[in-house]
Amino acid sequence: MSVRGAADTALLQRHLPGCAIREITALASADPKLASRAEVLVLRSGHRLDAERLLKWPKLRHVIRAGSGLDGLDIDHLTARGVTVHRNPEPAADAVAEWTLAVLLALARRIPYGHATLVDGRHAKQHCLAPPLSLARVAIWGAGPVGRACAKTLAPYVAEITFALRPSLPDTVSARPDSELPGWADAHVVALPLTDENRGRFGTDFLAAARERRPLLICVGRLGTLDVPACLSALADGGLSGLALDPVEESDLPLWPAAAPPGPLNLIATPHIGAQRHDVRTLLDRWVATTAAGALNGEGRTAT
């Protein structure tokens, strides 16, 4: 079974001609009879598979995640149940970094704000004056495939890039302790997994520490790493100079707690499109199909 948007089901069928393949819109609405027979489940971000939900999938042996995030998956319970989790974070990294460069340039030049004021019927050229991006210092939180790709892509356009210090980082990589970054960086790129430690990490404490620099904040990881209402409030009152949010799922809407945002803002929000590029989608669809075929053929099983 495949959640809509996670795989090319026609390609899956060609790789698994003897298998019945079904597409579902969400785990919660999956037909219980089909779920009880499925051995392979293909997921995208924004779906939860925990111990309670796993009870409805008694024959499940493989979960295929065409991306990097594992939040929503109870890895310990899946492992205990003998379910193998497959993921492939590499192909999307360059595409996400491309999106990051696009929004960094746009926020730095206050393009979203200028556009929003024109739509609002005002000409605010004088409020779009900004320092050159070439003088900016950028902090990257997260040194996985996406974080590393962002550093490589942004480096030619900014003055300096450093990572949030982690024990796993090699000595050759520029890094600073977390506590130094709010007072150092002009822009922050958040590429962290959604763990208990990282949930809501970029909230009131971070915003207070960073307020003097009025940085740009760009989230390419998981939206839950931000306290979104606090970040939007900081953007509205000047604590942030710009905010970009890519990993917005339908379940995250509405972004604003009130009915409408408080006037034009230097804000970009996109529906999790960082990896939505033809070449990436093609590569991931092929990987999902070959991974599913390899998993089932290796076990001599069939998928339903």
Side-chain angles (χ1 to χ4, degrees):
M1 294 181 73
S2 175
V3 173
R4 183 173 298 167
D8 181 336
T9 53
L11 184 62
L12 271 174
Q13 192 68 75
R14 289 199 295 272
H15 278 73
L16 296 163
C19 298
I21 296 171
R22 300 289 184 269
E23 185 175 78
I24 58 176
T25 57
L27 295 183
S29 59
D31 184 328
K33 291 182 179 179
L34 291 175
S36 68
R37 297 165 56 201
E39 297 182 60
V40 175
L41 176 62
V42 185
L43 284 176
R44 62 180 297 275
S45 60
H47 294 272
R48 181 175 56 84
L49 184 59
D50 56 16
E52 180 181 356
R53 185 161 286 171
L54 198 56
L55 293 173
K56 299 179 181 179
W57 303 76
K59 293 187 178 181
L60 191 65
R61 304 304 301 162
H62 297 274
V63 172
I64 301 176
R65 171 74 175 92
S68 59
L70 293 177
D71 49 287
L73 300 181
D74 188 334
I75 298 297
D76 291 340
H77 193 77
L78 286 166
T79 301
R81 267 274 311 269
V83 178
T84 301
V85 177
H86 310 261
R87 66 169 179 156
N88 189 0
E90 299 287 346
D94 286 343
V96 175
E98 183 180 73
W99 180 92
T100 305
L101 175 60
V103 300
L104 178 62
L105 287 165
L107 292 179
R109 293 301 307 273
R110 298 186 60 76
I111 291 172
Y113 176 80
H115 171 80
T117 59
L118 290 175
V119 171
D120 199 39
R122 295 189 289 116
H123 194 279
K125 177 179 179 178
Q126 69 277 16
H127 294 298
C128 293
L129 188 65
L133 184 61
S134 60
L135 298 181
R137 300 193 292 196
V138 178
I140 298 183
W141 300 75
V146 169
R148 296 195 305 270
C150 287
K152 181 180 178 180
T153 300
L154 301 182
Y157 302 95
V158 301
E160 190 176 352
I161 289 179
T162 194
F163 285 91
L165 184 63
R166 294 292 180 273
S168 58
L169 284 171
D171 294 338
T172 54
V173 174
S174 174
R176 291 172 176 264
D178 294 8
S179 59
E180 293 183 9
L181 293 178
W184 178 86
D186 302 299
H188 298 266
V189 177
V190 181
L192 291 170
L194 186 56
T195 61
D196 290 340
E197 177 190 7
N198 293 331
R199 189 176 297 276
R201 183 172 189 162
F202 296 84
T204 53
D205 290 345
F206 168 82
L207 294 166
R211 187 174 183 85
E212 186 174 346
R213 295 199 70 88
R214 301 184 63 246
L216 306 174
L217 181 60
I218 298 170
C219 181
V220 299
R222 288 292 179 266
L223 201 64
T225 59
L226 273 59
D227 179 339
V228 175
C231 290
L232 289 168
S233 295
L235 181 64
D237 68 19
L240 292 174
S241 290
L243 178 63
L245 310 171
D246 176 53
V248 180
E249 303 287 353
E250 286 190 51
S251 58
D252 298 317
L253 300 177
L255 285 177
W256 282 97
L265 297 172
N266 198 31
L267 170 67
I268 297 175
T270 53
H272 212 157
I273 64 170
Q276 288 293 89
R277 215 170 63 184
H278 286 302
D279 59 325
V280 175
R281 190 68 261 169
T282 298
L283 197 156
L284 286 176
D285 285 341
R286 188 180 302 124
W287 174 81
V288 168
T290 56
T291 300
L296 289 173
N297 292 336
E299 294 187 354
R301 298 171 182 270
T302 57
T304 57

